[in-house]
Amino acid sequence: MRGTDTALGAAGLAVLLALGEAAPRLGLVKEAYFPPTSRIAAALGREAGDGAFWTALGDTLTGWALGLTAAVVASVAVGLVVSVVPYLREATASTIEFLRPIPSVALIPLAVLLYGTELRSVLLLVVYASFWQVLVQVLYGVRDVDPVAEETARSYGLGPWARTRHVLWPTALPYVMTGVRLAAAVALILAVTAELVIGAPGLGARIAVAQASQAVPDLYALVVVTGLLGLLINGGARAVERRALAWHQSVRGEVAV
Amino acid sequence: MRRLLAGLAVGAFLVAASACGSSDDSGTPGTDTSSGGTTTVKVGIIPIVDVAPLYLGQKKGFYANHGLRLSLTTAQGGAAIVPGVVSGQFQFGFSNMTSLMIARSQNVPVKAVANGVASTGVAGKDFGALTVKKGSALTSAKDLEGKKVAVNTLKNINETAVRESVRKAGGDPSEVNFVELAFDQMPAALDGGRIDAAMVVEPALATVKSQGGTEIASSLVDVAPDLTVAMYFTSAQYAQKNPDVVKRFQEATAESLAYADAHPDEVRSVVTSYTKIPAAVLAKVTLPKWPAEPNRASIEALEKLGARDGLFKSAPDLDTLLP
């Protein structure tokens, strides 16, 4: 089944690449603004041979990883505390719903004022955007705890730490993992956007330079790189999720019996 | 359990905070890091041909001779540079004159310190031009009445310049429909007929020309002869506290500008180090002029036109703005 999926995925990509090659060659789109796949591939090769490209890639990944880690750690901690303390949950509900939909991009002027074009500007946007993704999942996850399991654990004399460890966390984990997977993608989008708009070093800034330089194939090559990066990150997040949840289901199975 | 979780939360925030803090290895913003008599200053620039003298001056050692080391930080236009300089993230920045005058008229404490870039002053051979696509029926700026004309930023220097071209050609600028479009998107938009004319600068101008597009006016030249288009600036606060650094930056920049003006080949070669302009395009790019000193008369002309178009809340005080 997985083999078929992979084959279909590859076929889909091949068709896309062929279309990308044919459309400008046949004159359906202007070659100057939409270069054929082969020219984009050549530009990609040039990029790969340039040290500055790898530095930019490293900068983007640094912003992504630091931002995502900080957001996940903070949101899981805040999420658990807020859900476990009933007063806090009620006191923060409306605030969270108010802050959550604010687009991270709207914080760009603030980021520039505070940190200029440094990495910290990128982190501000990445952490803000990713934080809510995970937080909301944690809140849902904790709400999903089976009261019977919770009461059973209590009556067996399990302490607060043990209950968190054996009842609350296993229930919340699938939600948290979903949140992390969504946040991983959002963090990449925000990292590249921040670089593109603010000019913080990274792939986004390199895209902006290519754009301002009228270097169209290079521009597309860099956009392709960000796409590939997104694909890798999503694949990685899914793999982590599968592992974490395989463990979780086996534990749940024993509890349910 | 609550105490434990609260502890976890505090710990997480500390981790998050230190993760943010540890990335700061470039010194506290707004403070110069001096070592061995050399002051490092952060300069916010746009990665375009205009700022080539800075790269060249750094390479040739003009800044080192004045005890300066430039940390050139590329940003995406004035949106990041002006607030960056005012908040002390950058010590110096690069901005066009209209933006600086608008900032000054809104009491944003900016102070121009060194000349940036000037128009060549030669109609038809400038680094910016009002262009139309190949075979367009529009032949004069007057024909733009009722037409869609792209400028990179509305209510800024290029709109002022185009309005003046229309006026000089005997047309009514208030009849022109201005639309905002990034320079790099103008050639495609022009070619696709989505706009009727575009005020482009290099390297987009070279791209338009390579597709057979033609110039109908040299709008920057129409504003004033040898127009000072952009300057390097700092915040009034920084200028007041560090008059010596500002003076050294002025002197080194003046030398760099003069050198760049005299060595166009070296300019073209240094441009490839910080832009990705393809060699074929770069060869056709019209370089701007880099006079060592700003042209006050041209800036006054730009101010009058800007005031006429209602760009300024109150008249910007050029005596406090200019060096």
Side-chain angles (χ1 to χ4, degrees), chain B residues 41-292:
Chain B
V41 288
K42 266 196 179 177
V43 189
I45 52 166
I46 314 167
I48 49 173
V49 177
D50 306 26
V51 298
L54 251 53
Y55 285 91
L56 206 51
Q58 175 100 313
K59 199 174 143 197
K60 287 281 159 192
F62 299 147
Y63 288 95
N65 290 345
H66 287 84
L68 288 178
R69 203 184 74 80
L70 302 184
S71 165
L72 297 170
T73 311
T74 52
Q76 283 305 102
I81 296 179
V82 174
V85 169
V86 173
S87 68
Q89 300 297 328
F90 308 132
Q91 280 74 58
F92 298 98
F94 177 84
S95 175
N96 81 63
M97 281 320 298
T98 299
S99 293
L100 289 178
M101 288 192 285
I102 291 174
R104 195 76 238 186
S105 82
Q106 294 173 343
N107 291 320
V108 178
V110 291
K111 170 93 187 145
V113 292
N115 198 23
V117 71
S119 134
T120 62
V122 185
K125 280 181 186 158
D126 197 12
F127 74 100
L130 189 54
T131 54
V132 292
K133 72 181 281 190
K134 187 180 180 178
S136 169
L138 310 170
T139 53
S140 148
K142 187 184 185 302
D143 303 337
L144 296 180
E145 287 179 356
K147 299 283 190 261
K148 222 185 208 181
V149 180
V151 289
N152 68 324
T153 312
L154 291 174
K155 305 268 172 212
N156 211 300
I157 187 165
N158 284 304
E159 186 181 318
T160 300
V162 172
R163 283 175 181 272
E164 182 59 7
S165 290
V166 174
R167 227 175 258 132
K168 279 199 166 173
D172 179 1
S174 63
E175 295 290 313
V176 178
N177 301 319
F178 286 100
V179 292
E180 196 167 276
L181 201 62
F183 284 129
D184 48 80
Q185 289 161 22
M186 289 180 186
L190 203 55
D191 206 35
R194 278 178 284 134
I195 48 174
D196 299 299
M199 175 65 206
V200 286
V201 298
E202 297 290 8
L205 176 56
T207 308
V208 169
K209 282 183 187 161
S210 72
Q211 279 152 8
T214 48
E215 298 186 21
I216 56 171
S218 290
S219 297
L220 296 173
V221 179
D222 285 340
V223 171
D226 309 319
L227 173 69
T228 298
V229 177
M231 286 184 75
Y232 296 97
F233 68 101
T234 186
S235 69
Q237 198 190 12
Y238 186 82
Q240 202 184 0
K241 280 188 185 159
N242 305 276
D244 178 54
V245 177
V246 171
K247 189 164 168 285
R248 285 187 277 151
F249 180 80
Q250 279 172 329
E251 288 166 357
T253 304
E255 280 175 39
S256 304
L257 292 167
Y259 187 86
D261 222 20
H263 299 83
D265 291 341
E266 289 185 47
V267 167
R268 282 181 211 273
S269 119
V270 84
V271 163
T272 58
S273 72
Y274 67 93
T275 75
K276 297 175 77 65
I277 302 178
V281 177
L282 188 58
K284 288 183 198 147
V285 162
T286 305
L287 295 180
K289 277 280 171 197
W290 287 292

Side-chain angles (χ1 to χ4, degrees), chain A residues 30 32-33 47 66 70 73-74 77-78 80-81 84-86 112-120 123 160-161 164 196-199 206 208-215 218, chain B residues 1-2 4-6 8-9 12-13 16 19-20 23-24 26 29 42 47 73-76 80 83-84 87 89-90 184-185 187-188 191 203-204 207 211 274-278:
Chain A
K30 287 245 175 187
Y33 312 121
E47 285 289 336
L66 282 179
V73 171
V78 171
L80 287 181
V81 172
V84 174
V85 185
V112 172
L113 273 178
L114 288 175
Y115 304 124
T117 59
E118 284 174 32
L119 175 64
R120 286 184 293 177
L123 287 179
W161 176 244
T164 306
L196 191 61
V197 178
I198 301 175
R206 210 167 158 80
V209 169
Q211 199 180 353
S213 301
Q214 299 280 303
D218 303 69
Chain B
M1 172 155 146
R2 284 179 198 176
L4 174 83
L5 288 174
L8 275 178
F13 272 122
C20 294
S23 64
D24 179 29
S26 48
K42 266 196 179 177
T73 311
T74 52
Q76 283 305 102
S87 68
Q89 300 297 328
F90 308 132
D184 48 80
Q185 289 161 22
D191 206 35
T207 308
Q211 279 152 8
Y274 67 93
T275 75
K276 297 175 77 65
I277 302 178

